[in-house]
Amino acid sequence: KRWLGGGGAMPVAVAAVAPAGAGLIWSNMALQFENDPPALFAAWRRALGADGFVMFSTLGPGSLPELRAVYAAEGWGEPHVPFVDMHDLGDMLVQAGFADPVMDQETLTLTYGSAEQLLAELRGWGGNAVPGRSPALRGRAWRERLRQALQSRADDQGRIHLTLELVYGHAFQAPERGPAVAAETAVDLATMRRMLREPKSPR
């Protein structure tokens, strides 16, 4: 069985792997960039074979509160797409057909010696994919305003803090369910009489 790793899991699972062609899907810090996690989980399930396994890490809603506070104070809207709570991710996995999902999280605090260092790392993570973000380029004046706002939050040692909530999850490919069986079955009287008249076949 093949395994899938890295970011961009939706295109890889759909385009490059036949249905049930993978034994393991591993997505590291890519899920937070997906606009439709349930659709992604459904694609993962189609790509996994029997007894397949999925593992992923992503950012939780406790991430980047310092950056959100700066944007809110300046009236700039949201700096990133909403991050999904780990319990909601677990529910999405079950709805997509995965079994025994296990979710965990931890909180990390990163510190930077300057706003420039912090902004350089944010650029490496990716851009702002919020649909309501500014449609135009912000410009140098805006960037300098952002840099100053971040620098003003430095502590007594001149370090700027940035909080990340890391969410981890894994789940198994659940077996296909058989046809649904109704809780009640209705048999009309004529059919019941005919069944009683018919001789039983010998065993």
Side-chain angles (χ1 to χ4, degrees):
K1 292 285 186 177
R2 300 176 60 184
W3 66 276
L4 310 178
M10 172 74 89
V12 171
V14 172
V17 178
L24 168 67
I25 291 177
W26 171 59
S27 173
N28 184 35
M29 298 302 292
L31 183 57
Q32 67 267 16
F33 299 114
E34 295 289 344
N35 291 325
D36 192 353
L40 176 63
F41 291 163
W44 285 356
R45 175 160 165 73
R46 289 193 297 271
L48 281 174
D51 301 321
F53 189 64
V54 60
M55 300 176 64
F56 64 86
S57 61
T58 185
L59 293 178
S63 298
L64 309 181
E66 300 87 354
L67 188 63
R68 289 198 299 273
V70 167
Y71 270 60
E74 299 291 342
W76 291 338
E78 293 295 330
H80 57 77
V81 295
F83 300 136
V84 184
D85 181 80
M86 70 172 185
H87 300 98
D88 294 332
L89 289 172
D91 292 341
M92 292 176 189
L93 286 168
V94 172
Q95 292 168 6
F98 287 96
D100 303 322
V102 176
M103 307 297 301
D104 199 2
Q105 63 87 229
E106 64 176 328
T107 300
L108 302 180
T109 301
L110 308 180
T111 59
Y112 301 86
S114 68
E116 287 291 346
Q117 292 179 357
L118 188 153
L119 290 172
E121 182 137 308
L122 288 177
R123 280 197 302 272
W125 293 353
N128 182 358
V130 175
R133 68 189 183 279
S134 173
L137 296 176
R138 297 282 197 175
R140 294 181 180 178
W142 176 86
R143 187 184 184 285
E144 177 60 21
R145 192 169 160 188
L146 173 60
R147 188 195 67 79
Q148 292 179 1
L150 290 169
Q151 194 64 51
S152 69
R153 293 175 173 269
D155 60 18
D156 295 340
Q157 286 74 43
R159 308 291 295 180
I160 305 172
H161 295 245
L162 196 63
T163 303
L164 298 179
E165 179 192 0
L166 301 182
V167 173
Y168 309 98
H170 67 256
F172 292 91
Q173 173 81 303
E176 293 291 342
R177 298 173 181 171
V181 178
E184 296 181 359
T185 301
V187 180
D188 61 79
L189 184 58
T191 301
M192 181 65 72
R193 287 173 176 168
R194 186 174 63 254
M195 293 171 60
L196 291 174
R197 292 195 201 101
E198 290 177 353
K200 295 181 180 181
S201 57
R203 294 183 180 179

